[in-house]
Amino acid sequence: MEIFMSEILEGYIERIVYRNDENGYTVLSLHVDQEEVTCVGSFPFISEGEFIHAMGNYTDHAVYGQQFLVESYDLKEPEDIFSVERYLGSGAIKGIGAALAGRIVKKFKKDTFRIIEEEPERLSEIKGISERMAKEIYRQFEEKRDMRSAMLFLQQYNITGNLAVKIFSEYGQRMYEILKENPYRLAEDITGVGFKTADEIARRMGIGNDSDYRIKAGVLYVLLQASSEGHVYLPEIELLQRAKALLFADEETLRRQLTTLNIEKKIIIKDTEKEKLIYSSVYYYMELNVARMLHDLNIRYDIKQDSVRKRVTAIEKQFEIKLEDQQRTAVTEAAGNGLLIVTGGPGTGKTTTINSIIKFFESEGMDILLAAPTGRAAKRMAETTGYEAKTIHRLLELSKLSDDQENKFSFERNEINPLETDLLIIDEMSMVDISLMHALLKAVSVGTRLILVGDVNQLPSVGPGNVLKDIIDSHNFNVVKLSKIFRQAADSDIIVNAHKINDGEQIKLDNKSKDFFFLKREASNVIAAVMINLIKNKLPGYVNATPFDIQVLTPMRKGELGVERLNQILQQALNPPSKEKHEKEHHEIIFREGDKVMQVKNNYQITWEIRSKYGIATQTGTGVFNGDAGEIKEINLFSEHLVVEFDDSRLVDYSFSQLDELELAYAVTIHKSQGSEYPAVILPILDGPRLLFNRNLLYTAVTRAKNCVTIVGSETMLQFMIDNKSEQSRYSGLCERIKELG
């Protein structure tokens, strides 16, 4: 791209060709001296028809030709009648079209703007403008002027255009007072503004490090960060350590602000015999309410045991199944209790148990709903039961609040509008965090039977809490633990070895198995080459699947065998560049049509649709969630968007500004694989953090495979993982809340 000498342009904006609302990047057509000039640059808040004074350089773009690259600009009031009319007729003021703008300017001429600002009632002198419309024109005119002033004010503090619009939309004219007094309110009130952003704004505005507002905001930020690590609270000592490192504040100051936050009910300080626990109020009351709702559902029904046993025997005969004692107990307990937890490892008959419970309640004429945390888990639940199963979010009817409330959402199903069912079964409960559990229970009426199914030895949820484990450990509810491995399952070394790993026993690595293999390699580049050969050549035919279906799972994000590097290597091998495939580079990741991708954050606002074979939308909805996987079907470089088809056939349209939400998924972390099942899994294991390389992680990875597990790497590290039963501690208090209410 060739750059020419610096210039200044003045003119009105004829047309906005393209705008990225995230960063303000805009392509516009500027009317300058009877000519149109294509300008590009950051224009975070600007409208067609406005008059600007732009400074920058002409550039010669290889594709789009000559453009004017704007480095800075000023908004100016139009200097002639023609420009005033152009601005008013551009659509900048809703309700004024070109014809009406012409009549306004014809009457008031150069006095037009003064009339709108100072004597707006005079606008009603013009045919077609009522007094009410005159007031609305004045309101919009003032709002735009106020917005321009706000943008200019915020730009002094290096606040980006998109954030500036959010700030002004939230506070309006109160913005100046709030920013001057307490800019840390931004972190509480505006989605996407964290403590560090607010702290930087405060620093630029001259607010000192010892500000009470800063210390309180910093403490809340520490608790928020802890929740992203899975913690519901922090012990006071650990909270103080983290806060000191973040805020450079002394302990006395921090303790004083903890007391203030407690008085303001923004945190809850829970005293125990050993130490004080510091909760964000939101999570404390979530745990308390979950505990209360679980107790409310835990109703004992008066049933005749003999009648239930006869019904179970009849189901066994009718469907030609043979239940073990633990499975029969599960069906009987489901019939007699409002709340039941069924837990067990792979091959212990959880699916058969669920199916038997469904058959029992179906024979009673009861309505039944099934759900799981992820799309893949729900799909698998539907396949194994023959009944429709939804994600919990879809079951609760997720809905976005409004377009201007970014990432804010609600569930249509709640305590006012509960789920209409007699029995609700939730699978893969180890993945359910405290927030989702709280939302779910609010939608379950007392009298509805709730059955929670999961493997307590799996990794805990990505979100905060340890819900399934805490419920079981409370010993307040009926729990059926399935432990017997069935004969058919015992023929699978995947299942046998998974149980051995969970029990801390060493496994055979002699490769005499039909579904569990170990390939000893000691160099990362060799391991990568072996994996490519397995995916492309060896495993597809062996497990009757496509290379796309075979999943690499790795413990880490970084490193030679981490997700980031492996995805680059595997993409090059499995979906290389092609003239037939569009691609888009974003933050050093190349997204290409045909790529395997994964959503890496919850987006409650984004819309999806499922289409028929004729391309007609048959279902629509909102929300794509952390861990959802799919394939890039289309990349449109002109409209700057791409389309992903997820595993459950949902099609989602992403703008290029949303690509931070996607990652390549040829390799994913074991944590991200929770709730999924793959025909074949490849595990590269060589070296990494000792705390991370533990038994729990290996067990979860192995149990993700349906037909084949291949471990490639170090035998020493594999044995270390089996021996290492240490897990990263997770602070959750649901177990205690349940006991307190019990």
Coordinates of all heavy atoms in Angstrom, one line a residue, residues 162-201:
N162 N -16.7 2.6 20.9 CA -17.8 1.7 21.3 C -18.1 1.8 22.8 O -19.2 1.8 23.2 CB -17.4 0.2 20.9 CG -18.5 -0.7 21.0 OD1 -19.7 -0.3 20.6 ND2 -18.3 -1.9 21.5
L163 N -17.0 1.8 23.6 CA -17.2 2.0 25.0 C -17.8 3.3 25.4 O -18.6 3.4 26.3 CB -15.8 1.8 25.7 CG -15.8 2.0 27.3 CD1 -16.9 1.0 27.9 CD2 -14.4 1.7 27.8
A164 N -17.4 4.4 24.7 CA -17.9 5.7 24.9 C -19.4 5.7 24.7 O -20.2 6.3 25.5 CB -17.2 6.7 24.0
V165 N -19.9 5.0 23.6 CA -21.3 5.0 23.3 C -22.0 4.2 24.5 O -23.1 4.6 24.9 CB -21.6 4.3 22.0 CG1 -23.1 4.0 21.8 CG2 -21.0 5.1 20.9
K166 N -21.4 3.1 25.0 CA -22.0 2.4 26.1 C -22.2 3.3 27.3 O -23.2 3.2 28.0 CB -21.2 1.2 26.4 CG -21.3 0.0 25.4 CD -20.5 -1.2 25.9 CE -20.5 -2.3 25.0 NZ -19.7 -3.5 25.5
I167 N -21.1 4.0 27.6 CA -21.1 4.9 28.8 C -22.2 5.9 28.7 O -23.0 6.1 29.6 CB -19.7 5.5 29.0 CG1 -18.7 4.5 29.3 CG2 -19.8 6.6 30.1 CD1 -17.2 5.0 29.3
F168 N -22.3 6.6 27.6 CA -23.3 7.7 27.4 C -24.7 7.1 27.4 O -25.6 7.7 28.0 CB -23.0 8.4 26.1 CG -23.9 9.6 26.0 CD1 -23.7 10.8 26.7 CD2 -25.1 9.5 25.1 CE1 -24.6 11.9 26.6 CE2 -25.9 10.6 25.0 CZ -25.7 11.8 25.7
S169 N -24.8 5.9 26.8 CA -26.2 5.3 26.8 C -26.6 4.9 28.2 O -27.8 5.0 28.5 CB -26.2 4.0 25.9 OG -25.8 4.4 24.5
E170 N -25.7 4.5 29.0 CA -26.0 4.1 30.4 C -26.3 5.3 31.3 O -27.3 5.2 32.0 CB -24.8 3.3 31.0 CG -25.0 2.8 32.4 CD -26.0 1.7 32.5 OE1 -26.2 0.9 31.6 OE2 -26.6 1.5 33.6
Y171 N -25.5 6.3 31.2 CA -25.6 7.4 32.1 C -26.2 8.7 31.6 O -26.7 9.6 32.4 CB -24.3 7.7 32.7 CG -23.6 6.6 33.4 CD1 -22.3 6.2 33.1 CD2 -24.2 5.9 34.5 CE1 -21.7 5.1 33.7 CE2 -23.6 4.8 35.1 CZ -22.3 4.4 34.7 OH -21.7 3.4 35.3
G172 N -26.1 8.9 30.3 CA -26.6 10.2 29.7 C -25.7 11.4 30.3 O -24.5 11.2 30.5
Q173 N -26.4 12.5 30.6 CA -25.7 13.7 31.1 C -25.1 13.5 32.5 O -24.2 14.2 32.9 CB -26.6 14.9 31.1 CG -27.0 15.4 29.7 CD -25.8 15.8 28.9 OE1 -25.2 15.1 28.1 NE2 -25.3 17.1 29.1
R174 N -25.5 12.4 33.2 CA -25.0 12.1 34.5 C -23.5 11.6 34.4 O -22.8 11.5 35.4 CB -25.8 11.1 35.3 CG -27.2 11.6 35.6 CD -27.9 10.5 36.5 NE -28.0 9.3 35.8 CZ -27.6 8.1 36.3 NH1 -27.1 8.0 37.5 NH2 -27.8 7.0 35.6
M175 N -23.1 11.2 33.2 CA -21.8 10.6 32.9 C -20.7 11.4 33.5 O -19.8 10.9 34.2 CB -21.6 10.5 31.4 CG -20.3 10.0 31.0 SD -20.1 10.3 29.2 CE -19.6 12.0 29.2
Y176 N -20.7 12.8 33.4 CA -19.6 13.6 33.8 C -19.5 13.6 35.3 O -18.4 13.4 35.8 CB -19.9 15.1 33.3 CG -20.0 15.2 31.9 CD1 -21.3 15.3 31.3 CD2 -18.9 15.2 31.0 CE1 -21.5 15.4 29.9 CE2 -19.1 15.3 29.6 CZ -20.4 15.4 29.1 OH -20.5 15.5 27.7
E177 N -20.6 13.6 36.0 CA -20.5 13.6 37.5 C -20.1 12.2 38.0 O -19.2 12.1 38.9 CB -22.0 13.9 38.0 CG -22.1 13.8 39.5 CD -23.5 13.9 40.0 OE1 -24.4 14.3 39.2 OE2 -23.8 13.6 41.1
I178 N -20.6 11.2 37.4 CA -20.2 9.8 37.8 C -18.7 9.5 37.5 O -18.0 9.0 38.4 CB -21.0 8.8 37.0 CG1 -22.5 8.8 37.6 CG2 -20.5 7.4 37.2 CD1 -23.5 8.0 36.8
L179 N -18.2 9.9 36.4 CA -16.8 9.7 36.1 C -15.9 10.5 37.0 O -14.8 10.0 37.4 CB -16.5 10.0 34.6 CG -17.0 9.0 33.6 CD1 -16.8 9.5 32.2 CD2 -16.4 7.7 33.7
K180 N -16.3 11.7 37.3 CA -15.5 12.5 38.1 C -15.4 12.0 39.6 O -14.4 12.0 40.2 CB -16.1 14.0 38.2 CG -15.2 15.0 38.9 CD -15.8 16.4 38.8 CE -15.0 17.4 39.7 NZ -15.6 18.7 39.6
E181 N -16.6 11.5 40.0 CA -16.7 11.0 41.4 C -16.2 9.6 41.6 O -15.4 9.3 42.5 CB -18.1 11.2 41.9 CG -18.3 10.7 43.4 CD -19.7 10.8 43.8 OE1 -20.5 11.4 43.1 OE2 -20.0 10.2 44.9
N182 N -16.7 8.7 40.7 CA -16.4 7.3 40.9 C -16.4 6.5 39.6 O -17.4 5.9 39.2 CB -17.4 6.6 41.9 CG -17.2 5.1 42.0 OD1 -16.1 4.6 41.8 ND2 -18.2 4.5 42.5
P183 N -15.4 6.6 38.8 CA -15.3 5.9 37.5 C -15.4 4.4 37.7 O -15.7 3.6 36.7 CB -14.0 6.3 36.9 CG -13.2 6.8 38.0 CD -14.1 7.3 39.0
Y184 N -15.2 3.9 38.9 CA -15.3 2.4 39.1 C -16.7 1.9 39.0 O -16.9 0.7 38.9 CB -14.6 2.1 40.5 CG -13.2 2.4 40.5 CD1 -12.7 3.6 41.0 CD2 -12.2 1.5 39.9 CE1 -11.3 3.9 41.0 CE2 -10.9 1.8 39.9 CZ -10.4 3.0 40.5 OH -9.1 3.3 40.5
R185 N -17.7 2.8 39.0 CA -19.0 2.3 38.8 C -19.2 1.7 37.4 O -20.1 0.9 37.2 CB -20.0 3.5 38.9 CG -20.5 3.8 40.3 CD -21.6 4.7 40.3 NE -22.8 4.3 39.6 CZ -23.9 5.0 39.5 NH1 -24.0 6.2 40.1 NH2 -24.9 4.5 38.8
L186 N -18.3 2.1 36.5 CA -18.4 1.5 35.1 C -18.3 0.0 35.2 O -18.9 -0.7 34.4 CB -17.3 2.1 34.2 CG -17.6 3.3 33.4 CD1 -17.9 4.5 34.4 CD2 -16.5 3.7 32.5
A187 N -17.4 -0.5 36.1 CA -17.2 -2.0 36.2 C -18.4 -2.7 36.7 O -18.6 -3.9 36.4 CB -16.0 -2.2 37.1
E188 N -19.2 -2.0 37.5 CA -20.4 -2.6 38.0 C -21.6 -2.5 37.0 O -22.4 -3.4 36.9 CB -20.8 -1.9 39.3 CG -19.8 -2.2 40.5 CD -20.3 -1.5 41.7 OE1 -21.5 -1.7 42.1 OE2 -19.5 -0.8 42.4
D189 N -21.7 -1.4 36.3 CA -22.9 -1.1 35.6 C -22.8 -1.4 34.1 O -23.9 -1.6 33.5 CB -23.2 0.5 35.6 CG -23.5 0.9 37.1 OD1 -23.8 0.1 37.9 OD2 -23.3 2.1 37.3
I190 N -21.7 -1.5 33.5 CA -21.6 -1.7 32.0 C -20.9 -3.0 31.7 O -19.7 -3.3 32.1 CB -20.8 -0.5 31.4 CG1 -21.5 0.8 31.7 CG2 -20.6 -0.7 29.9 CD1 -20.8 2.0 31.3
T191 N -21.6 -3.8 30.9 CA -21.1 -5.1 30.5 C -19.8 -4.9 29.6 O -19.8 -4.0 28.7 CB -22.1 -5.9 29.7 OG1 -23.3 -6.1 30.5 CG2 -21.6 -7.2 29.2
G192 N -18.8 -5.6 29.9 CA -17.5 -5.5 29.1 C -16.5 -4.6 29.7 O -15.4 -4.5 29.2
V193 N -16.9 -3.9 30.8 CA -15.9 -3.0 31.4 C -15.5 -3.7 32.7 O -16.3 -3.9 33.6 CB -16.5 -1.6 31.8 CG1 -15.5 -0.8 32.5 CG2 -17.0 -0.9 30.5
G194 N -14.2 -4.1 32.8 CA -13.7 -4.7 34.0 C -13.0 -3.7 34.9 O -12.9 -2.5 34.6
F195 N -12.5 -4.2 36.0 CA -11.8 -3.3 36.9 C -10.6 -2.6 36.3 O -10.4 -1.4 36.5 CB -11.3 -4.1 38.2 CG -10.4 -3.3 39.1 CD1 -10.9 -2.4 40.0 CD2 -9.0 -3.5 39.0 CE1 -10.1 -1.7 40.8 CE2 -8.2 -2.8 39.8 CZ -8.7 -1.9 40.7
K196 N -9.9 -3.4 35.5 CA -8.6 -2.8 34.9 C -8.9 -1.6 34.0 O -8.2 -0.6 34.0 CB -7.8 -3.9 34.3 CG -7.2 -4.9 35.3 CD -6.3 -5.9 34.6 CE -5.7 -6.8 35.7 NZ -4.8 -7.8 35.1
T197 N -10.0 -1.8 33.2 CA -10.4 -0.7 32.3 C -10.8 0.5 33.1 O -10.4 1.7 32.9 CB -11.5 -1.1 31.4 OG1 -11.1 -2.2 30.6 CG2 -12.0 0.0 30.5
A198 N -11.7 0.3 34.1 CA -12.1 1.4 35.0 C -10.9 2.0 35.8 O -10.9 3.2 35.9 CB -13.2 0.9 36.0
D199 N -10.0 1.2 36.2 CA -8.8 1.7 36.9 C -8.0 2.6 36.0 O -7.4 3.6 36.5 CB -8.0 0.5 37.4 CG -7.1 0.9 38.6 OD1 -7.5 1.8 39.4 OD2 -6.0 0.3 38.7
E200 N -7.8 2.2 34.8 CA -7.0 3.0 33.8 C -7.7 4.4 33.6 O -7.1 5.4 33.5 CB -6.8 2.3 32.5 CG -6.0 3.0 31.5 CD -4.6 3.3 31.9 OE1 -4.1 2.6 32.8 OE2 -4.0 4.2 31.3
I201 N -9.0 4.3 33.4 CA -9.8 5.6 33.3 C -9.6 6.5 34.5 O -9.4 7.7 34.4 CB -11.3 5.3 33.0 CG1 -11.4 4.6 31.6 CG2 -12.1 6.6 33.0 CD1 -12.8 4.0 31.3

